[in-house]
Each structure stands twice: as structure tokens, then as C-alpha cells.
Amino acid sequence: MKKKLLMGGLLPALVMSTCGVAGAQPAAMDTLTAMEQNPDAGSQMGASTEPVTQESLQEMRRQLEEQLQQAQELQNRLNAQLGSLEKRMKKVEKRSWEPPIEIHGYGRLRWDKQNFDHFSNYKAADEKTVWLNLFTKYRINDTWSIHSEHEFVNNLSTNHGAYEGDGGNDAPGGKRYSRPVLQLYTEGRIGGLNVKLGRYYLQSPYKFTFDEKIDGWQASYGIPTKWGRKANFTVNAGKTYSKNMYADMDYGNNNERWDIPGGSTDARVLSLISEIPVAKNTNITSHFGRITWQGQGNHWQRKTWSFGFDTKLNRDLKLTAAIAKSDSQTLNKSHVIQLQYKEARPDIPGSFDIYVKKYLQRGHTGMTNWFNDDIVCVTDSDFVGDVDANNPGNPWDHRYAEFNGLRIGADFVPVRNTKLLLHYTFGKMGLMDWAGNGRTNGKRDDYSFFRAQWEMYF
């Protein structure tokens, strides 16, 4: 009778209902209790019409309890295996998608041809260089990371490079171009602020008034806008490593340069930057910069303001423009405007761009060096020694104060992760008149600059 009852459907039904879900166990036990209290209920549920005894129900209870215990043990083992598998999967995903150390970079083969019409027979510099820039990122946790950039350059024209010392321009034969640790900083978040701390590149909008590394800190805060891009406000403070700044008549000692060889702990920078989307494809930018230098018993300071915008006129045409002004009494206004067609992206083979840029760049509107965007004042360029070597007995002895001209350029991506860059800059350089307290002397020299560069990313 017991066998018939178990086979008749009661036991399989109870086992299936209890083994599948742990939460069904109380219900199964309640069913057995009810059957013990009402033995006639078993004959209604099973296929057999034989009466159910107390002994058969107790045996059924014992067997069900054993099966429930086995099912619970199996479930515990499965849960433990699933937990272990989940931990291993997380480790694999972290190793696959979030490695603690990332390394990438790019190489450049570059040819620069400068032409300065200072003398009718003056031989300008012709520089062929190879560059390698390595970037590293070490992820401390989900919030903080450490970044570095290492730059190695070799001048193929003179075989300078690879770092022999820190002599700078005045070191004969020194491999003066390499900077093994160009950037080294930590980056993370504090609340809603993005923070940098260490040596890093500070660039004003469009690299117009400041484009140099500093030792200091940066705090940036972004506010979402309806255009899908954040309005960013950034504060930077630190010490600049610009080569030099120039004095002017404001300080009564315009014949002096703000010499900062290799960087100076006395050259301090404050920078406030805003980049605000005002339409779907339009941004407005501003920059306030102040640089202060204390040295040789002097206290010199310059403040610079710049305002600009960039907008897409249509899908392929982009317009960028900016103006700058400083508190200097001379050479204190500059402007730049650029029109660009298409965009060369290294991840899209066949992409390209063509652009034309108009400059009026004056020395005292820049916070670093004389000019930006690779426009060169020979006196303080890295290759002034090469220029003098090309003109024995006729050393370079003038300093430019402004540039007014055009740049025409094109970029092309022949294969993925490469770019070919070509541009030609030409215009007039204005010479500084020392006797005129930092103004130009009215003389304008022809200037041209051609660059061909092949970039490879990895």
C-alpha cells in the first residue's frame, strides 16, 4: 500500500514542489501535517484507494526530510560555487578591461624649415628630428590615478638628443631636446571636482596665451547643459617652466629679459579658464592669466585676458576665433582666426582636414615665451646655436616682437593610427626697438615656416 501511495503521485508532487525552491519547504511540511490529522485526504489525492496509516505518513515524512536536507546541501554548494565564480569573473574583467597600468604613446618624424629675412644672405635653420612620447597611467582605485609623460627627441641634423645634461641652449654639444619626465601628476575626484596635482601641461583655450607645463595644481568643475556638453570652469596655480618672459617699459628696465633658465621657483602662475556651450555646436571660452616673477631684485607681473569662440557652421566647416590683451603698455593686443574643413581622426583611415589661420601675435599678450603655435623668435629658440653655426661670423643679434601672417595646413590619415601633417606659415615679423622701450622699431622682416610631420600612435 505504501509503495502504491508513493508511486501514485503524492510523493513525486511533494518532492518536485519542495526541491525546486527552498521557500516551498514549509508548505510541504504543512501538507504532511494536514494529512496526518486527516488520513482520508491521502486517498483523495493518490491513485490508490487503500487507507493511509500513521506509520506510512511518518515514513513519508522521514523520506521527505532527508530529500529536503539533501536539496538544501546541494543548494548551499551551488551558491558557494556561484559566489566563487562571480569573484573570479570580476578579477578577469578587471584584468581584461581595467588593467592597473596603461601605456600608450606616439612617435613623430619631423622636418622644419624656418626662413628669417634678417640678412639677404642669411642661412636659416633646417631641423630634422625624431620624437617619441610615452604616456603611462597607474590606476590607484576607481577615483585616483597617477599619470606621466616621457619625451625623447633626437635632432637628426646635429645628432643632438637623448639627454646628456641640463645645459639648455648654452651647452655645446649637449643633447638639449630630451625631457625624460615631461609630466608627472596625480589625477582624481574630490566630490564634484576634478583635481590634478604635480607637473602637468597647462593650455589656455586654443593654446593662445599659455601653452607650457607647470608644477602646481588644477581644480575643474563641470556643469551639465541642455546641449549635452558640460560647461567647465578650471583654476590652475603653480610655477611655470617657460624659458623666459620679456620685460617692457612698465617696469623701467626693458633691456632685461625675465630669464627663467630651465624653470624657476620664482615664476608663479595663476590661471582661470572657462569653456561654456551656448548652442548645439558653439562654445565660448575665456582665460585670465597672471604671471609673477621675483628675481635679480625685481618684482615683475603681467596679467593677460583672452576671449574666444568655436562653432560649426555646418557639418564639415568649423570656425574658431580669439582675441587677447595684457596689462602691458606695449605689444598688448593679439588675435587669431581659423577656418577648418573636415577633421583628420587617426582612428578613421582616409579622414582629412584643410585649414587656414590668420595671426596677429604680439609678445606681451602671451604668458609663456614670445609666441605660441611654433612661431619662433630665433633668439630664444632651441636651434639658435644651429642658426649661428650656419652663419659663421654673423651671429643672430635681433629679437622679434610681433608676427602678422597666415598659416595654411592640411592633415591626412592614410592608415589607422597614423597622421600626415603639412603646414606653411608666412608673414611679417616686427623687430623690437630697445631704445623705444619695448616697442617695435617699424622694421618688418619676411618670415616663413614649413613643417612636414609623420605621426604614429600606439
Side-chain angles (χ1 to χ4, degrees), residues 311-320 337-345 350-357 407-413 419:
T311 183
K312 281 195 170 184
L313 304 178
N314 57 40
R315 179 179 178 181
D316 296 322
L317 204 58
K318 183 178 182 180
L319 177 67
T320 303
I337 183 169
Q338 174 177 301
L339 188 63
Q340 178 176 313
Y341 176 70
K342 294 282 191 181
E343 180 183 6
R345 292 182 48 181
S351 62
F352 70 95
D353 60 52
I354 302 171
Y355 64 91
V356 59
K357 184 184 292 188
R407 172 169 293 177
I408 300 173
D411 303 319
F412 176 61
V413 181
K419 183 190 289 187

Side-chain angles (χ1 to χ4, degrees), residues 24-36:
Q25 296 173 16
M29 300 306 296
D30 291 344
T31 301
L32 281 175
T33 302
M35 290 179 64
E36 290 174 351

